[in-house]
Amino acid sequence: MPELTDPIVELGKRLGYRFADPGTAEQALTHRSAGPVHNERLEFLGDAAIGLVVADMLYAEWPELAEGDLTRMRSSLVNSEALACLARTLDLGGLIMMGTGEQHGGGFQRRSTLEDAFEAVIGAVFLDGGYAAAREVLC
């Protein structure tokens, strides 16, 4: 019989990050169908943190580019499909806690669910460890 792994510990391994507050990570992995404490607020924070980290990296890497060019580059890197792809790479779908109906409906594979979970996880890292931690996880 395979050993069960705590989803928070597993998430930390996959990210290379140890949460000081495991409750924040648990919330990041909780879909709204699973209960009243879920990941939507962390998703909001993560979206902004991802945008800031990518903007910071592009700004430093491409000093000769104008604002419009940097904006287009950021948009090509930070979009629904790209974030869902990162979530799939981390196999986040298997860690997301969701209600039975959502689970049976394949919610753990849905692009929007994966994108939202990835943003929430980065929001949790940002909240837990600050900008430097979010940048480290994303880079």
Side-chain angles (χ1 to χ4, degrees):
M1 182 172 193
E3 182 180 327
L4 295 177
T5 303
D6 179 339
I8 306 314
V9 172
E10 185 59 31
L11 175 64
K13 287 179 187 175
R14 293 177 191 184
L15 295 175
Y17 179 78
R18 183 178 172 149
F19 285 90
D21 178 5
T24 305
E26 182 177 6
Q27 183 178 351
L29 292 174
T30 304
H31 187 267
R32 71 174 172 229
S33 65
V37 179
H38 50 74
N39 64 6
E40 287 181 346
R41 287 178 50 85
L42 287 171
E43 176 190 336
F44 168 79
L45 185 60
D47 177 55
I50 292 165
L52 178 60
V53 168
V54 171
D56 186 25
M57 290 171 29
L58 292 173
Y59 186 86
E61 185 68 27
W62 302 95
E64 73 284 356
L65 290 184
E67 181 268 343
D69 295 326
L70 291 168
T71 297
R72 283 186 285 285
M73 288 177 74
R74 183 185 61 207
S75 294
S76 72
L77 294 170
V78 182
N79 60 59
S80 180
E81 189 53 48
L83 297 178
C85 182
L86 291 168
R88 284 185 199 98
T89 301
L90 292 169
D91 194 22
L92 280 185
L95 299 177
I96 301 170
M97 295 164 271
M98 56 184 61
T100 306
E102 189 70 23
Q103 198 170 25
H104 289 308
F108 61 92
Q109 295 175 330
R110 192 172 299 122
R111 181 175 73 183
S112 62
T113 302
L114 293 171
E115 173 193 4
D116 294 349
F118 184 78
E119 288 175 337
V121 163
I122 298 303
V125 170
F126 180 81
L127 195 61
D128 190 72
Y131 176 81
R135 183 178 170 99
E136 183 69 28
V137 166
L138 287 167
C139 297

